[in-house]
Amino acid sequence: MKTAQDIERSTSAPVRPNVGAATPMNVDLAGYWYEADLADARARSRAVLEALRLYRAAEMAMRRRTRESMAMGENELLVLRYLIRRGDTLVRPVELAAYLGVSTASMTALLDRLEKSGHITRVANPDDRRSIFVRATALTEDEVRETLGSMHDRMYAAVEGMSAAEAEAVIAFLDRMSAAVDAVAVDAP
């Protein structure tokens, strides 16, 4: 099965630049407006953004494969992951709707599908008979761990050899990128 990076390489043939090289080298800048001179700080930034783009493409492809293997949509997987992380904590559907940014009606339909497939159970609220709690089933936890376990192991292996300084630099970079992306305002038509 082709990975996202295989597809990226076959369609645009990006070159991973050696940003520490003493002499500038040309890279494929298709779709970008940055300079090609790697001695320039902007070109180094472009190389980092290209590496991030390739990672995101690989991650999206992995998520698609996971959804297909579990026969679920993105929101269903996000709900299951949220419930598994919460453990034995009881979660209300309204909390899940807020987490995903969907209406309570949409959340009810999503939970109906997950309950029908045996991935969640609804538990009556002992203090308020009008409301319920939701939790992932043990079978779901096993299925998610089996599906994602080896991927998580490979991700840990990729970062375990990092020095403290490298880890701090990556974390700081990702924090700045998250802030930059979160700051993008979408203009309403």
Side-chain angles (χ1 to χ4, degrees):
M1 174 178 283
K2 282 191 172 188
T3 66
Q5 285 186 333
D6 293 335
I7 294 167
E8 284 288 330
R9 287 185 183 110
S10 67
T11 58
S12 64
V15 175
R16 278 271 164 89
N18 179 358
V19 295
T23 58
M25 63 187 283
N26 290 327
V27 295
D28 177 11
L29 295 175
Y32 292 93
W33 55 91
Y34 305 134
E35 305 87 30
D37 179 5
L38 287 183
D40 180 71
R42 189 148 178 96
R44 282 192 307 277
S45 298
R46 186 256 174 236
V48 169
L49 293 175
E50 177 67 9
L52 182 61
R53 185 182 71 79
L54 288 172
Y55 168 77
R56 290 280 299 135
E59 181 186 37
M60 286 188 292
M62 178 273 304
R63 287 180 181 276
R64 179 188 44 76
R65 290 189 306 271
T66 301
R67 286 192 312 269
E68 289 172 358
S69 74
M70 294 182 73
M72 291 184 189
E74 181 74 15
N75 282 347
E76 283 88 351
L77 282 177
L78 289 172
V79 164
L80 293 180
R81 191 173 96 187
Y82 186 89
L83 292 172
I84 290 169
R85 285 185 175 174
R86 296 295 304 268
D88 290 332
T89 304
L90 297 173
V91 177
R92 290 193 165 119
V94 69
E95 180 181 342
L96 293 168
Y99 171 68
L100 291 181
V102 299
S103 69
T104 53
S106 293
M107 182 52 58
T108 298
L110 186 150
L111 293 175
D112 288 345
R113 290 190 302 272
L114 288 174
E115 185 175 43
K116 185 177 179 181
S117 66
H119 288 96
I120 62 142
T121 57
R122 289 177 162 122
V123 181
N125 182 344
D127 299 327
D128 181 356
R129 293 187 344 203
R130 296 169 296 166
S131 69
I132 61 159
F133 296 109
V134 180
R135 66 168 48 136
T137 63
L139 177 66
T140 297
E141 291 190 39
D142 292 343
E143 182 181 5
V144 168
R145 289 184 204 294
E146 182 180 321
T147 302
L148 300 178
S150 64
M151 184 265 309
H152 285 150
D153 290 344
R154 287 190 303 275
M155 291 174 73
Y156 271 107
V159 298
E160 283 179 336
M162 295 175 79
S163 69
E166 289 171 323
E168 288 174 18
V170 170
I171 291 167
F173 162 71
L174 292 173
D175 285 346
R176 290 191 308 272
M177 289 302 293
S178 294
V181 171
D182 285 343
V184 173
V186 178
D187 295 329

